[in-house]
Amino acid sequence: MAPGEKIKAKIRKNLPMTGPQAPTIKELMQWYCLNTNTHGCRRIVVSRGRLRRLLWILFTLTAVALIFWQCALLILSFYTVSVSIKVHFQKLDFPAVTICNINPYKYSAVRDILSDLEQETRDALKTLYGFSEMKSRKRREAESWSSAWEGTRPKFINLVPLLFFDEHATGKVARDFVTGRKRKVSGSIVHKASDIMHVHQSNQVVGFKLCSNDTSDCATYTFSSGVNAIQEWYKLHYMNIMAQVPLEKKINMSYSAEELLVTCFFDGVSCDARNFTLFHHPMYGNCYTFNNRVNETILSTSMGGSEYGLQVILYINEEEYNPFLVSSTGAKVIVHQQDEYPFIEDVGTEIETAMATSIGMHLTESFKLSKPYSQCTEDGKDVLVTNIYNAAYSLQICLHSCFQTKMVEKCGCAQYSQPLPKGANYCNYQQHSNWMYCYYKLQQAFVREELGCQAVCREACSFKEWTLTTSLAQWPSVVSEEWLLSVLTWDQGQQINKKLNKTDLAKLLIFYKDLNHRSVVENPDNTIPSLLSNFGGQLGLWLSCSIVCVIEIFEVFFIDSLSILTRCWWQKTKEWWARKQSPRCPEASLSRRGQDNPAIDIDEDPPTFTSALRLPPAPGTKMPGTPPPRYNTLRLEKAFSNQLTDTQVPDES
Amino acid sequence: MKGDKPEEQGLDPEPEAPNQPTEEEEALIEFHRSYRELFQFFCNNTTIHGAIRLVCSQHNRMKTAFWAVLWLCTFGMMYWQFGLLFGEYFSYPVSLNINLNSDKLVFPAVTVCTLNPYRYTEIKEELEELDRIAEQTLYDLYKYNCSNTLGAHPHRRRRDLGRTLPHPLQRLQVPPSPRQARSAASGMRDNNPQVNREDWKIGFQLCNHNKSDCFYQTYSSGVDAVREWYRFHYINILSRVPDGSPSLEEDTLGSFIFACRFNQNSCNQANYSRSYHLMYGNCYTFNHKNNSNLWMSSLPGINNGLSLVLRTEQNDFIPLLSTVTGARVMVHGQDEPAFMDDGGFNLRPGVETSISMKKEALDRLGGNYGDCTKNGSDIPVKNLYASNYTQQVCIHSCFQESMIKECGCAYIFYPKPQDVEYCDYWKHRSWGYCYYKLQVAFSMDSLGCFTKCRKPCSVTSYQLSAGYSRWPSVTSQDWVYQMLSRQNNYTINNKRNGVAKLNIFFKELNYKTNSESPSVTMVTLLSNLGSQWSLWFGSSVLSVVEMAELIFDLLVITFLMLLRRFRSRYWSPGRGSRGAQEVASTPASSLPSRFCPHPTSPSPSQPGPAAHPALTAPPPAYATLGLHTSPLGSAEPSFSVCTAGEP
């Protein structure tokens, strides 16, 4: 025996066998409760009276339950954010400002391409509403007839004719009003010819019918007002035609920067068309963006107020407007970030002619926390939709991209008013005969959220927005009108060779109202230290416990108890094995068995290490006489431990 | 629990005395036999750190004093901190959260009014009479001959005023006393009004019931005065229109709204509901709450919003009542009434107005955290509108309530309860006096409406901004006008002023939600309390329970001792001596109860002596290994029944 082990054995002999070396779980628990720093446990052991003890057990368990509950609440509310709003006062970068004429292309330039469509529309108007051309237009119409494309007359226009729907008729009888002459031109269409409608009651609505390839499945689109019907129908055909025109030609047909911008003034300094960059929008033609990071510099304003913003006078030539595509006159302006796509269609502010429109801006920046605090995305890279726009991610870009991608997927071609994805081309009748039906179906599915775009697209985490305040004033004033118009006419001599009228001009002022800018920043509400300190507070409040206590509990309840159980079980098996295998000294084993069994039975305890190994006959004979002890009564424990010190050491050594 | 304890312990010593042979196990609740024991036990087992040192270090006065000071200091610190924490919690602080959400949005309700009040057939004659008197007044005051605009009956003008209306419009000198002004006005009637224009005010007189108190409702501008005066009489005439039977001329959607589209689809009759506003004429509310399916916007932009073409011609309008032309539009929540006065937007004819909206929501915490109401049920004002609670609804209801109380009749612009009728000066002579007085009181908030009406807890607002463009364009106006007039069987004669176009759409689907959340919750409060407690005291809630147990034990022991003393003194001497013996417990008699049946057994006597040193020796530091025997020794000798049996 090594000296170290000798000392160990000696110590073991002197000390009662408690703690992790305790022979039974009950003793282990008693040892733990007496020695732990956790409040309540000690009281369970030392209190006298069953009720008292029960109450202390209840108190302790309640405290433990409360700790768990409160800590769960703390963890659940961990990912909350608090918002701080800061107001800065600094020199602000001027945003990019995109200006478009509402009319996309000069009608004189585009009329050649659209002459057929125009003629058709006029026919429709005539048959539908008996609308005849005004005298002033006669000349132009004749001109357009002569210059119409003779050889390559597009046949697709008649594919989707405007129809009358009788609202009261149950079967929705559709009547085609297209004249017989037209019918000959487009002999292949499926609609049955019928009478030309001359008299129309108010209960009839106008619309058109879109069919899929095999014409078995048709959808009708009706409009409460003829104006809407005509415009929508025109737009549909217009997109078909324009989809086939190459981009350079379209740019040439639209307005040049010099034409649109008569004067320009920024931050007290004169500017001109060179400060604007071209941006071609499918539905608005040539748009011009001011301050679009031209030479990698972003202009900024040093002062707030209308004097230090952008002041432009726009030339809006009302004569060149397309009568069917657009019905209002003016320009559209949008304020956006330099790398943001200008959604003119959606969020542009309109500017009226013969008016000075002042737009005051106020900048608000927002920063959100991304995962796990919210579902927003930093740069859109983790969104499954590919960005078909050449611009930074935004929710709207994602929705449009998603729709366009689905469109290409389902219909085989791309919608005209959005950019082209890779490898696709815009829809037109000649290649995709049923795209319109497909498009309208898809549009409805999109609105009803059946395409899943709304679920896939997530909002961006940080964005800037400019709150706009618009005010109007009559411009130019009656007294200044005369000289102003003549000066501007002289200025624009080379671009415009006509005398300017005041309804041809619009004045626009865009400026920062003040140089305060507000930023809304989200911060995590809880940090790991605060969470830990809250945990500590809860543990301390209910049980005066600490992490060490928790480790202790883990050690006692899991490691030690398990080891004791294993030891018990191992001893039992060993004993059982020994008994079964070699009844070498039958006397000893017999007597042991005979003495032990009754005590164990009365005790209702499972045979434990101590009871199994108890040797001396004297306490054994006494045991049946003593009443079975209740759980962890103190006197009995004392008796046991006294005896065990005697009995156990020889056994183990 | 504590309720039964005294009961049990009260019974313990006596009834259990007879059946001592069966008393083998631990009692339900056991008590110490003396204060000394109790304190010994407490000192050995308490978990309150300072208390051990304070109470249990008896042998060193210096130490005790030191610990007492320390204990008091930490105690004070802790309760000071507790006070701060509780103070913070009970001030109910809130923190503001701004959430940026993006969702499919429900399109708000949109109300469009014609700005074209009607002339009912029932009151047509009276209105004509009013017009005539107005003309007369205008002529008298301003020498304005208005035969062109109002001259329906030029031959009757300035002659035979059949019956004069009360409260005539007068010119007054400033600053006059009311009676002088009246006489002066009548005397100066023939003067040129242009002379000394600054010194004159236009107004009309209002008196209370017995004419004892009068005042002039005056205006600096004649236009305002005439309008207000006309409006006052117009209200009177309207109040005579019987309830619920205004024979409106049958007006369909078509005659005011030429075209209507939402989200690329045309709308129909089911999408709007019609109502009538006394000042703004016919009103159409789109997407109201009783719509079967509400409109949703899934994309921002003009194409995904509401687009209307409106007729803005004023054919039968009342020139003195409404001086604007166009239409009035208002965006409001589905369950709110449209207060066209408060939040409207005027549309110019001949112009396309594009109104872009941005939604913003505000959620306040109710209850202790802020002064707001969830649904208005706890507001002492009855909601007269058939809609949800808003502050505006409440204020209007409140005004109407006080109007009915003060003046006895209801103001016509607000809804009225069933049993009250609208004000009319032929029935309620002094209502004008009363109304204007009340309005002054209302705006000075002496009616208490603004304090009674609390803010609703959740508010949704729409920020609007508008852009304008000329519509229709020169090139397209021919066919557009032609088409509109063909379609609606109505010729638009004054072209540009006859129509207006309106687009309402969401600018973006992102919307901001400003919400409040409690910045100190119960959980964080408890955590903070716990940290403070641990820091200063190292004790826990269970320590408090220990203290409570100690106090309870003290009380019970005192009670028992008193009881026994009482018994020993006033009871039979034999029993009394026994009782006295019980109380005077000695270490020798402190044998545990359960060993009583086996007094001869040698082994249980062994721990008996072991207990003695524990009593006399100073208490060892708590929780040492050897200690667990000593509390046992001292804890055991408790049960008095047993000792009583021994001798």
Side-chain angles (χ1 to χ4, degrees), chain A residues 94-102 260-261 275-281 284-293 310 312 314 331-345 347-351 359 361 468 508 510:
Chain A
F94 203 75
V97 177
T98 300
I99 302 167
C100 305
N101 197 333
I102 287 184
L260 182 69
L261 304 153
N275 296 69
F276 290 81
T277 46
L278 173 72
F279 157 74
H280 189 84
H281 189 275
Y284 285 92
N286 282 359
C287 296
Y288 293 93
T289 307
F290 178 74
N291 193 23
N292 194 12
R293 218 191 290 248
L310 177 70
V312 286
L314 305 172
K332 271 203 161 185
V333 64
I334 181 170
V335 173
H336 58 101
Q337 271 185 73
Q338 271 78 13
D339 55 353
E340 211 179 358
Y341 184 83
F343 282 100
I344 307 236
E345 266 178 298
V347 286
T349 306
E350 280 144 343
I351 296 176
I359 299 177
M361 300 185 292
L468 306 184
L508 168 69
I510 296 186

Side-chain angles (χ1 to χ4, degrees), chain B residues 33-47:
Chain B
R33 300 168 52 113
S34 69
Y35 294 130
R36 191 188 156 84
E37 261 177 49
L38 176 68
F39 277 106
Q40 203 88 48
F41 175 79
F42 180 74
C43 283
N44 283 333
N45 294 307
T46 187
T47 50

Side-chain angles (χ1 to χ4, degrees), chain A residues 213-484:
Chain A
N213 253 350
D214 48 357
T215 69
S216 61
D217 191 12
C218 283
T220 50
Y221 293 91
T222 57
F223 298 88
S224 63
S225 165
V227 179
N228 287 334
I230 294 271
Q231 273 193 308
E232 191 70 9
W233 181 79
Y234 185 89
K235 202 173 153 190
L236 215 57
H237 291 295
Y238 170 84
M239 289 199 297
N240 265 307
I241 297 168
M242 294 313 283
Q244 295 163 319
V245 179
L247 184 64
E248 290 93 75
K249 195 176 176 189
K250 282 196 278 192
I251 289 174
N252 285 335
M253 284 192 299
S254 192
Y255 303 89
S256 68
E258 288 80 10
E259 230 172 325
L260 182 69
L261 304 153
V262 181
T263 66
C264 169
F265 216 62
F266 177 74
D267 204 3
V269 183
S270 176
C271 53
D272 61 10
R274 277 167 293 176
N275 296 69
F276 290 81
T277 46
L278 173 72
F279 157 74
H280 189 84
H281 189 275
M283 297 310 289
Y284 285 92
N286 282 359
C287 296
Y288 293 93
T289 307
F290 178 74
N291 193 23
N292 194 12
R293 218 191 290 248
V294 194
N295 328 310
E296 293 300 315
T297 52
I298 295 174
L299 297 169
S300 55
T301 42
S302 47
M303 291 273 278
S306 60
E307 286 298 307
Y308 298 92
L310 177 70
Q311 296 184 30
V312 286
I313 295 176
L314 305 172
Y315 174 61
I316 312 280
N317 194 355
E318 221 180 336
E319 294 289 309
E320 294 280 10
Y321 266 51
N322 186 332
F324 302 109
L325 187 68
V326 286
S327 57
S328 49
T329 316
K332 271 203 161 185
V333 64
I334 181 170
V335 173
H336 58 101
Q337 271 185 73
Q338 271 78 13
D339 55 353
E340 211 179 358
Y341 184 83
F343 282 100
I344 307 236
E345 266 178 298
D346 296 341
V347 286
T349 306
E350 280 144 343
I351 296 176
E352 203 183 337
T353 53
M355 285 279 185
T357 308
S358 303
I359 299 177
M361 300 185 292
H362 190 85
L363 174 63
T364 307
E365 277 181 293
S366 304
F367 299 98
K368 287 188 79 170
L369 287 173
S370 61
K371 270 185 181 174
Y373 291 95
S374 72
Q375 286 293 311
C376 71
T377 171
E378 293 285 353
D379 52 359
K381 289 215 172 66
D382 47 345
V383 175
L384 294 170
V385 178
T386 45
N387 185 350
I388 57 170
Y389 290 83
N390 183 22
Y393 178 87
S394 74
L395 178 67
Q396 215 165 335
I397 279 182
C398 177
L399 286 176
H400 281 296
S401 300
C402 176
F403 181 79
Q404 186 74 300
T405 318
K406 295 276 182 209
M407 177 96 185
V408 173
E409 212 173 275
K410 295 259 165 64
C411 309
C413 58
Q415 210 248 329
Y416 178 66
S417 59
Q418 285 156 20
L420 270 181
K422 253 183 208 158
N425 46 6
Y426 286 127
C427 292
N428 64 63
Y429 289 139
Q430 275 150 356
Q431 280 146 29
H432 318 278
S433 53
N434 67 333
W435 77 267
M436 285 203 288
Y437 174 77
C438 180
Y439 168 71
Y440 273 86
K441 280 275 171 216
L442 210 64
Q443 173 89 29
Q444 285 192 341
F446 178 79
V447 169
R448 273 183 265 124
E449 291 188 19
E450 283 163 8
L451 296 184
C453 286
Q454 281 87 346
V456 169
C457 287
R458 287 181 278 147
E459 60 198 306
C461 282
S462 65
F463 48 89
K464 286 181 176 183
E465 63 179 342
W466 285 268
T467 316
L468 306 184
T469 319
T470 319
S471 58
L472 295 176
Q474 204 82 37
W475 178 90
S477 64
V478 178
V479 285
S480 69
E481 187 181 333
E482 203 175 326
W483 72 266
L484 210 127

Side-chain angles (χ1 to χ4, degrees), chain B residues 33-199:
Chain B
R33 300 168 52 113
S34 69
Y35 294 130
R36 191 188 156 84
E37 261 177 49
L38 176 68
F39 277 106
Q40 203 88 48
F41 175 79
F42 180 74
C43 283
N44 283 333
N45 294 307
T46 187
T47 50
I48 305 170
H49 292 184
I52 298 176
R53 294 278 184 272
L54 174 65
V55 182
C56 308
S57 58
Q58 309 153 329
H59 299 289
N60 194 333
R61 288 275 169 81
M62 189 64 195
K63 238 181 184 174
T64 313
F66 175 70
W67 275 106
V69 170
L70 217 60
W71 191 80
L72 280 176
C73 281
T74 51
F75 200 71
M77 281 301 280
M78 189 180 80
Y79 276 98
W80 174 55
Q81 293 288 323
F82 274 19
L84 293 184
L85 288 175
F86 276 115
E88 195 193 356
Y89 180 74
F90 285 110
S91 68
Y92 294 110
V94 290
S95 55
L96 183 69
N97 299 340
I98 299 180
N99 294 326
L100 297 156
N101 309 322
S102 63
D103 253 332
K104 204 163 101 162
L105 293 181
V106 177
F107 204 77
V110 176
T111 302
V112 188
C113 292
T114 52
L115 286 179
N116 209 351
Y118 263 133
R119 294 161 181 266
Y120 296 119
T121 44
E122 282 94 338
I123 53 169
K124 217 161 200 164
E125 281 177 21
E126 280 173 277
L127 273 182
E128 274 165 13
E129 178 87 9
L130 179 62
D131 283 349
R132 201 166 46 75
I133 294 166
E135 274 173 55
Q136 177 68 48
T137 316
L138 280 177
Y139 184 78
D140 287 345
L141 292 177
Y142 295 97
K143 300 276 178 284
Y144 167 65
N145 198 341
C146 43
S147 58
N148 293 331
T149 45
L150 304 174
H153 313 282
H155 55 283
R156 279 206 289 174
R157 190 161 32 91
R158 288 201 281 149
R159 278 182 283 128
D160 59 296
L161 296 172
R163 108 185 144 173
T164 49
L165 296 169
H167 314 294
L169 203 60
Q170 293 164 355
R171 196 175 326 132
L172 310 163
Q173 199 166 21
V174 271
S177 79
R179 287 187 193 285
Q180 279 172 346
R182 194 148 67 137
S183 58
S186 54
M188 306 280 267
R189 186 160 286 179
D190 297 329
N191 271 9
N192 190 352
Q194 254 66 346
V195 179
N196 286 337
R197 197 154 42 92
E198 319 279 289
D199 299 340

Side-chain angles (χ1 to χ4, degrees), chain A residues 15 71 75 124 238 256 285 374 406 509 591 593 595 610:
Chain A
L15 286 175
C71 287
I75 289 172
Y238 170 84
S256 68
S374 72
K406 295 276 182 209
L509 298 103
S591 70
R593 217 184 301 161
Q595 282 161 356
T610 17

Side-chain angles (χ1 to χ4, degrees), chain B residues 204-406:
Chain B
F204 49 95
Q205 195 192 28
L206 297 161
C207 285
N208 67 354
H209 205 69
N210 46 14
K211 304 251 179 195
S212 62
D213 186 21
C214 293
F215 72 94
Y216 283 91
Q217 185 73 21
T218 56
Y219 301 88
S220 57
S221 157
V223 177
D224 287 344
V226 170
R227 274 192 59 202
E228 190 65 29
W229 176 82
Y230 191 92
R231 186 165 167 265
F232 180 66
H233 288 289
Y234 179 67
I235 290 173
N236 273 303
I237 293 169
L238 279 177
S239 68
R240 268 165 258 155
V241 177
D243 228 15
S245 66
S247 60
L248 296 174
E249 61 182 70
E250 204 39 60
D251 191 63
T252 52
L253 187 68
S255 71
F256 174 55
I257 293 163
F258 287 148
C260 164
R261 295 184 80 195
F262 179 77
N263 220 344
Q264 314 266 34
N265 296 318
S266 65
C267 10
N268 53 25
Q269 307 262 329
N271 293 121
Y272 72 93
S273 58
R274 215 185 83 194
S275 59
Y276 185 73
H277 191 279
L278 296 173
M279 298 301 290
Y280 297 105
N282 265 337
C283 293
Y284 299 88
T285 303
F286 290 88
N287 202 26
H288 205 244
K289 66 178 165 190
N290 43 19
N291 234 16
S292 51
N293 49 341
L294 291 177
W295 287 341
M296 305 290 283
S297 266
S298 52
L299 262 184
I302 283 190
N303 291 332
N304 302 288
L306 178 68
S307 170
L308 299 171
V309 177
L310 305 171
R311 174 182 153 196
T312 52
E313 242 174 2
Q314 304 199 315
N315 40 3
D316 53 355
F317 93 120
I318 306 172
L320 285 170
L321 198 60
S322 59
T323 49
V324 282
T325 171
R328 197 171 173 87
V329 63
M330 188 182 163
V331 174
H332 54 100
Q334 257 86 21
D335 42 14
E336 293 169 19
F339 291 111
M340 302 302 290
D341 277 326
D342 305 332
F345 209 103
N346 280 354
L347 305 180
R348 263 197 299 164
V351 163
E352 176 175 352
T353 309
S354 301
I355 299 177
S356 59
M357 300 184 291
K358 233 179 102 180
K359 185 180 167 180
E360 210 170 296
L362 175 64
D363 283 316
R364 292 190 191 90
L365 280 177
N368 293 320
Y369 290 98
D371 183 32
C372 71
T373 174
K374 291 263 184 252
N375 52 8
S377 55
D378 49 343
I379 298 286
V381 179
K382 191 171 168 264
N383 188 349
L384 297 174
Y385 290 82
S387 72
N388 282 9
Y389 179 87
T390 64
Q391 201 170 14
Q392 204 75 343
V393 162
C394 174
I395 284 173
H396 284 189
S397 301
C398 175
F399 182 81
Q400 186 73 295
E401 219 167 63
S402 28
M403 180 93 188
I404 290 166
K405 210 170 79 188
E406 302 281 326

